[in-house]
Amino acid sequence: MSELRQEAEAIAEQFSDHLNVDADEVEERLENLVNEYRVPLDEARRSVTNGYLEDAGMERDELGRGGSESVLVDEIDEDEQWVDLRVKLVDLWEPRSDSISQVGLLGDESGTIKFVAFETSDLPELTEGQAYELSNVVTDEYEGSYSVKLNRTTGITEIDEAIEVGDNADTVEGALVDIQSGSGLIKRCPEDDCTRVLQNGRCSEHGQVEGEFDLRIKGVLDDGETVSEVIFDREATEKLTGMGLEEAKDMAMDALDTTVVAEEMADDVLGRYYRVTGPTFGRYVLVDEMENPGEVDVEAALIEARSI
Amino acid sequence: MSQSAPTREVARRVFASEFNDAGYTFTESDDERAPVYALLPTGESSNRVFFVGTLTEKEDVGEDSEYWRGRIVDPTGTFFVYAGQYQPEAASKLRDLEAPAYVAVVGKPRTYETDDGTVRVSVRPESITEVDAATRDRWVAETATRTIERVAAFDDEGNEYARMAREEYDLDPQTYKAAALSALEDLDEGDGDELAGDAAELAGDAADEDLGDVDPTDPAGTPEP
């Protein structure tokens, strides 16, 4: 989406409760000012907004938070929506591009969501641990996971409030139908704050390193209708397979091959049913708790089947 | 959720009797690598299946190289599973397994036409693992429910695969519903001594190999996760 279009939609959204304004019309006005009359975008926005304020007979401060909807981060399930959030800045990450001023994790009681702020938006810097009201942020979707983008029209207000951040906990159930590569006995980068999994002894960030052994299973639970990707960390993997790190290392040592560990684990867990609960991170559920559903309740299944 | 996300194909739950009738295959696009779907007669597309049954027979039917065929039986019929050099893990599983055994299979439907023109449907396994009776029972109950749900939705407006099934097959979906219900009823009746006995025996066998300290009298026979 072009910057003009983004501005236009923000403005149209702001007036949506007061006037019948569509984004195309706003964009046309902005375009005229910016491209034809060489007015800076900021000034163009101001001018166009004032025009609409006049049409509506409103004062500037009546506009307030505009028309975007106040939501919890866990409710975001659509691309390109304008929303307002009450969140705490949970974590700041290292931006990987010069165009990004800040990137990290925002959270409220429903869970966490990634956010990105761009250099061009000229926004005040956010501080880790601080709670904010953010108005006019735009949702974004990539491969099924959602994030929010801050933009030039985003309102940032520090609030003095303790926000408990939830963990997006999710419960999924199904048959374990696949164990993905990168499972079993793996090596992680030992650098500080880097836990990347090594590929052929290399970390994508730190190059050739002496890795540290770890256990994990990246699996797929499938209930016949949907598939869920789940990650068992070392503790969960040990609980699931009954195999500890030392045993796994011995096994790999004997075979002179680490892949035997994942194969051995696959034998014990593939094709079985599990119910797991844990926070979602991107498209994965990180397993905190798991149970084996055990014996099926045939009576209940029969009653259900007859009622369909 | 999102249409743009690369999604893994779901593993359908289908009984052998219906699966073996799913001889019509199709793709959703003209792309050379577009996934191939078998059309289930109850009106669903299937690029992958998951089933649990009893391996009753296995045989190396290969001429030059190993090519294993397994017969896996469920309450309605028999799945035929073929694994050769391109499915080395599944092939070696079939080589090592002793029939009878409860096995769980994840695999892809494959069809081939015999000389007399009949289409046979088989499974190319992605994985085969030995499981216990509780897993088998859960699968039977789950598959019965899913099957009955598909039959219930068969006449829904906009059910594209049901429309396709009506065009491609001359099969009554009600027969699959009846088979599913009777599988579930058998499970209910067998809930007593007979099945528990089988299960204990199987759990006992399995315990010798890899389940370690599981109590062989526990019909579930599964290690605590």
Side-chain angles (χ1 to χ4, degrees):
Chain A
M1 190 163 55
S2 77
E3 204 174 4
L4 266 184
R5 181 71 199 176
Q6 201 163 326
E7 290 290 353
E9 285 186 4
I11 293 172
E13 190 68 52
Q14 273 186 308
F15 283 97
S16 61
D17 287 345
H18 312 284
L19 281 177
N20 188 14
V21 180
D22 77 1
D24 292 341
E25 181 193 319
V26 182
E27 187 178 28
E28 210 172 294
R29 288 202 196 186
L30 285 173
E31 205 160 14
N32 185 40
L33 286 169
V34 172
N35 295 343
E36 204 65 32
Y37 292 93
R38 304 282 159 199
V39 175
L41 183 57
D42 266 6
E43 193 55 38
R45 183 183 61 223
R46 194 191 149 78
S47 156
V48 170
T49 308
N50 280 343
Y52 285 123
L53 279 172
E54 206 155 302
D55 288 352
M58 290 161 60
E59 293 297 323
R60 176 168 276 275
D61 53 20
E62 281 177 58
L63 258 189
R65 292 150 61 92
S68 37
E69 196 187 347
S70 197
V71 299
L72 295 172
V73 300
D74 202 29
E75 294 169 351
I76 292 173
D77 58 0
E78 219 181 321
D79 198 9
E80 284 188 24
Q81 297 300 302
W82 291 77
V83 297
D84 298 347
L85 300 171
R86 280 175 82 83
V87 286
K88 182 163 107 176
L89 178 55
V90 178
D91 202 6
L92 277 174
W93 304 330
E94 204 63 43
R96 296 205 178 176
S97 151
D98 290 342
S99 63
I100 292 174
S101 63
Q102 284 190 302
V103 55
L105 213 54
L106 301 172
D108 62 19
E109 63 267 31
S110 73
T112 53
I113 193 163
K114 177 185 160 181
F115 85 96
V116 183
F118 297 93
E119 286 290 354
T120 50
S121 305
D122 263 338
L123 292 169
E125 221 164 75
L126 304 181
T127 320
E128 217 167 285
Q130 173 68 45
Y132 296 97
E133 270 179 9
L134 303 177
S135 62
N136 269 341
V137 303
V138 190
T139 65
D140 191 29
E141 184 262 4
Y142 178 69
E143 291 191 356
S145 30
Y146 292 91
S147 62
V148 291
K149 292 185 292 193
L150 276 47
N151 60 76
R152 203 179 288 237
T153 69
T154 298
I156 299 177
T157 318
E158 285 192 13
I159 49 175
D160 195 15
E161 195 180 315
I163 293 181
E164 284 289 325
V165 176
D167 61 3
N168 307 58
D170 218 347
T171 297
V172 291
E173 187 174 345
L176 191 78
V177 294
D178 195 18
I179 289 184
Q180 301 173 330
S181 63
S183 297
L185 187 62
I186 55 163
K187 276 189 164 182
R188 291 187 187 275
C189 179
E191 293 286 323
D192 280 349
D193 289 333
C194 179
T195 54
R196 286 183 181 81
V197 173
L198 306 185
Q199 306 285 342
N200 298 322
R202 288 185 66 83
C203 169
S204 61
E205 185 71 20
H206 302 100
Q208 201 81 28
V209 287
E210 194 59 46
E212 287 168 356
F213 279 114
D214 197 4
L215 289 178
R216 81 164 171 193
I217 289 180
K218 285 166 77 178
V220 179
L221 287 183
D222 180 321
D223 67 1
E225 315 249 278
T226 53
V227 293
S228 316
E229 291 173 281
V230 298
I231 294 182
F232 297 84
D233 65 5
R234 186 197 305 181
E235 198 184 327
T237 299
E238 285 176 357
K239 240 174 95 184
L240 179 71
T241 62
M243 194 192 303
L245 185 58
E246 289 310 313
E247 188 186 339
K249 281 201 272 194
D250 288 346
M251 188 184 289
M253 202 81 86
D254 286 346
L256 300 172
D257 181 5
T258 54
T259 60
V260 294
V261 174
E263 283 166 26
E264 178 78 18
M265 288 176 170
D267 247 2
D268 290 340
V269 297
L270 268 184
R272 274 77 160 180
Y273 289 87
Y274 296 99
R275 184 186 305 127
V276 304
T277 303
T280 52
F281 194 79
R283 51 186 226 264
Y284 290 100
V285 174
L286 307 181
V287 179
D288 264 349
E289 286 166 47
M290 96 187 90
E291 51 179 329
N292 189 320
E295 295 240 15
V296 67
D297 185 345
V298 181
E299 294 274 333
L302 204 50
I303 291 167
E304 192 198 340
R306 284 179 176 143
S307 73
I308 296 170
Chain B
M1 254 193 281
S2 159
Q3 293 301 306
S4 61
T7 45
R8 179 191 163 90
E9 294 285 347
V10 74
R12 300 285 178 209
R13 307 300 200 261
V14 52
F15 284 118
S17 62
E18 182 182 359
F19 182 77
N20 290 331
D21 286 342
Y24 178 76
T25 59
F26 63 97
T27 57
E28 302 267 31
S29 84
D30 293 333
D31 191 323
E32 230 175 90
R33 291 161 304 166
V36 177
Y37 297 91
L39 178 66
L40 302 182
T42 51
E44 186 58 274
S45 64
S46 161
N47 171 265
R48 175 178 278 128
V49 290
F50 171 69
F51 63 91
V52 184
T54 310
L55 177 75
T56 57
E57 236 181 82
K58 52 156 197 173
E59 192 186 346
D60 180 4
V61 295
E63 283 163 14
D64 303 327
S65 60
E66 272 184 86
Y67 195 59
W68 286 91
R69 180 182 64 198
R71 297 172 62 100
I72 298 169
V73 175
D74 81 0
T76 70
T78 305
F79 289 98
F80 289 89
V81 174
Y82 289 89
Q85 55 178 323
Y86 300 112
Q87 299 81 38
E89 279 152 32
S92 86
K93 256 311 151 43
L94 279 177
R95 188 192 309 119
D96 296 344
L97 277 166
E98 292 279 348
Y102 286 135
V103 292
V105 178
V106 180
K108 302 271 191 178
R110 284 291 173 267
T111 54
Y112 68 95
E113 207 173 317
T114 59
D115 294 340
D116 64 5
T118 22
V119 176
R120 295 205 189 274
V121 188
S122 64
V123 179
R124 194 190 69 195
E126 294 173 315
S127 72
I128 302 178
T129 43
E130 190 168 357
V131 296
D132 58 21
T135 304
R136 201 283 308 253
D137 290 353
R138 179 164 291 277
W139 177 81
V140 171
E142 178 183 60
T143 303
T145 310
R146 293 279 185 264
T147 303
I148 292 165
E149 282 169 352
R150 289 198 296 273
V151 175
F154 195 78
D155 291 322
D156 286 2
E157 213 171 307
N159 187 340
E160 192 197 329
Y161 298 115
R163 185 186 54 75
M164 207 189 270
R166 247 183 240 109
E167 278 169 19
E168 300 298 335
Y169 300 127
D170 185 21
L171 298 164
D172 181 3
Q174 293 302 329
T175 54
Y176 306 110
K177 179 181 178 175
L181 264 180
S182 103
L184 207 46
E185 281 155 2
D186 285 352
L187 204 58
D188 192 30
E189 282 158 25
D191 230 5
D193 294 338
E194 184 206 342
L195 236 166
D198 286 347
E201 204 178 292
L202 260 149
D205 287 346
D208 292 338
E209 285 165 30
D210 54 25
L211 295 181
D213 55 1
V214 173
D215 177 4
T217 58
D218 172 12
T222 32
E224 279 300 305

